[in-house]
Amino acid sequence: MQTWNHRWKSMLKLQTAVLMLLCLVSGGTEIEYLSVNDEERMKHVFFSGNPYMVQCVAPSRSIKKNPSGALSEVITLASSALPSDCGLAILDCKEKLPSGKNSFERFKIDGSLDPPLFVVANGRPPKQVTPQALSKHMPNAALFPTTKQQAAALISLVIRAIEPKVAALSKTEQLQKYCVGRRLCAIILIHGAELRFKDSRVLQSLLKEYRTISFATINVDRYDLSLARRLPETPGLDVKAPRLILLRAAAVGGSTAEKGKRAQSKQLALTAKAHREEFALKPVRGFLNACLDGKLEMTPLQRMPTLAWRRSAGKSSGGPADDGA
């Protein structure tokens, strides 16, 4: 039987092919001129989690009135078929930010590439579009790709770059990398290697609605999460239904946990909260919104969560608990 994961990947490939075709016949996407002095828009583009493709441009008097004129030919053609949820902006990356750095320095963008182009999405650092990255999306037989082929490859790259991803966790190291080191992480406990079809549909909707939250799954039939040893009872609900645990990480001292190696080197204050209702779009959405709005009371964790191979095929609840959720 074909799994939902395989069907989803097939759908993604079909979507990519359709968008490549559309880039040959469609109109353009609205282009935003982004100013470093507009703090609200800069925060939205770089930190909201919403997908954006941004081209660095040289300043000129006409650029604000006609931002499309600053785009390269390939990007102009590709803009015709960008995913509907992906914005397009231009930015003077040499202009100083309030920190004193420019955008090249702040976001580690290589200004020697022509043009400097990057994609930002899902609360992650900007990912620069390089010739090496673009070549992976080119037709194998294209020795000298045409402008249309380059545009199609760029569309394919953007689609893959902005797609929210779910980490399947099986080790404590993975838990720390993909969850503990992120500001917010939704851990979904599942029975088996794959989510059921209806649960997958819920998760796919959540991924695009909550792009600043990292999502991960753990197969509790095989792996033992310390946080899951004393989950609250959920009478009346399907025992095989997914359970969700929300984990929040903050650096001791007040600031939100940073990403990557710097976050892992800091001492973190962890809090957690278990969702007690049905794993359906409406109740889970309300649960996540309450957290983002600061209205969800979360439990401080005394120890770092761990994840290990389950030695016996017992239930995921019961037994002594190291942490509370």
Side-chain angles (χ1 to χ4, degrees):
M1 179 182 294
Q2 190 181 34
T3 65
W4 167 248
N5 188 45
H6 292 152
R7 288 195 294 268
W8 179 256
K9 289 181 178 179
S10 298
M11 291 167 60
L12 183 62
K13 290 180 180 178
L14 177 60
Q15 180 189 37
T16 302
V18 171
L19 287 171
M20 288 180 178
L21 177 62
L22 286 175
C23 80
L24 307 179
V25 297
S26 302
T29 297
E30 183 177 352
I31 303 160
E32 177 180 359
Y33 171 76
L34 193 59
S35 170
V36 297
N37 298 316
D38 190 336
E39 184 177 355
E40 182 178 348
R41 290 306 302 167
M42 286 289 288
K43 285 184 177 180
H44 176 79
V45 170
F46 286 96
F47 304 110
S48 71
N50 294 330
Y52 272 86
M53 181 168 69
V54 182
Q55 179 185 326
C56 296
V57 297
S60 68
R61 293 182 178 180
S62 61
I63 198 170
K64 294 183 180 180
K65 296 181 180 180
N66 182 31
S68 62
L71 294 178
S72 72
E73 184 180 1
V74 171
I75 297 174
T76 299
L77 187 57
S79 68
S80 303
L82 285 176
S84 59
D85 58 349
C86 183
L88 178 60
I90 57 173
L91 172 69
D92 178 3
C93 294
K94 291 184 178 180
E95 191 172 1
K96 294 291 184 181
L97 297 163
S99 64
K101 296 182 178 180
N102 60 35
S103 296
F104 287 128
E105 297 165 335
R106 171 65 177 82
F107 300 110
K108 297 179 173 58
I109 304 299
D110 183 359
S112 67
L113 296 180
D114 187 20
L117 179 70
F118 58 90
V119 180
V120 58
N122 307 321
R124 307 294 172 83
K127 184 176 182 180
Q128 187 163 10
V129 178
T130 64
Q132 294 79 8
L134 198 61
S135 66
K136 297 178 181 179
H137 299 266
M138 291 285 186
N140 293 332
L143 181 59
F144 300 107
T146 65
T147 300
K148 291 181 179 179
Q149 288 175 325
Q150 293 178 62
L154 179 57
I155 294 168
S156 175
L157 183 152
V158 171
I159 291 173
R160 301 298 173 86
I162 70 175
E163 179 192 5
K165 295 176 176 59
V166 181
L169 308 180
S170 60
K171 300 178 181 179
T172 298
E173 293 78 10
Q174 294 173 339
L175 179 66
Q176 293 176 346
K177 179 179 179 181
Y178 295 106
C179 246
V180 175
R182 306 288 166 80
R183 188 175 70 91
L184 282 173
C185 180
I187 304 173
I188 303 172
L189 308 179
I190 64 176
H191 293 272
E194 297 279 348
L195 279 166
R196 298 176 299 185
F197 180 76
K198 67 173 185 176
D199 299 323
S200 291
R201 293 186 64 180
V202 172
L203 178 56
Q204 292 303 328
S205 296
L206 294 172
L207 288 174
K208 292 192 175 182
E209 287 187 46
Y210 300 94
R211 290 181 176 269
T212 57
I213 299 178
S214 298
F215 286 82
T217 61
I218 296 175
N219 178 2
V220 294
D221 290 341
R222 288 194 174 188
Y223 305 105
D224 177 29
L225 175 66
S226 60
L227 283 176
R229 293 176 187 163
R230 190 175 290 171
L231 285 174
E233 296 293 333
T234 53
L237 297 183
D238 182 0
V239 294
K240 291 292 185 179
R243 296 294 305 274
L244 188 150
I245 300 175
L246 192 61
L247 189 67
R248 181 193 291 275
V252 173
S255 62
T256 300
E258 300 171 17
K259 299 177 178 64
K261 295 180 180 179
R262 292 175 61 188
Q264 295 176 14
S265 65
K266 287 179 175 288
Q267 186 177 359
L268 298 178
L270 301 177
T271 55
K273 184 72 173 180
H275 181 244
R276 304 187 183 203
E277 299 180 66
E278 179 187 8
F279 188 79
L281 191 57
K282 185 176 181 180
V284 174
R285 184 185 283 150
F287 178 74
L288 296 178
N289 285 341
C291 177
L292 294 174
D293 293 340
K295 299 178 181 179
L296 193 66
E297 184 178 351
M298 303 185 72
T299 303
L301 302 183
Q302 302 302 317
R303 302 180 184 179
M304 187 74 67
T306 60
L307 183 60
W309 179 264
R310 184 177 293 281
R311 295 182 180 180
S312 62
K315 294 182 180 180
S316 61
S317 60
D322 293 331
D323 304 293

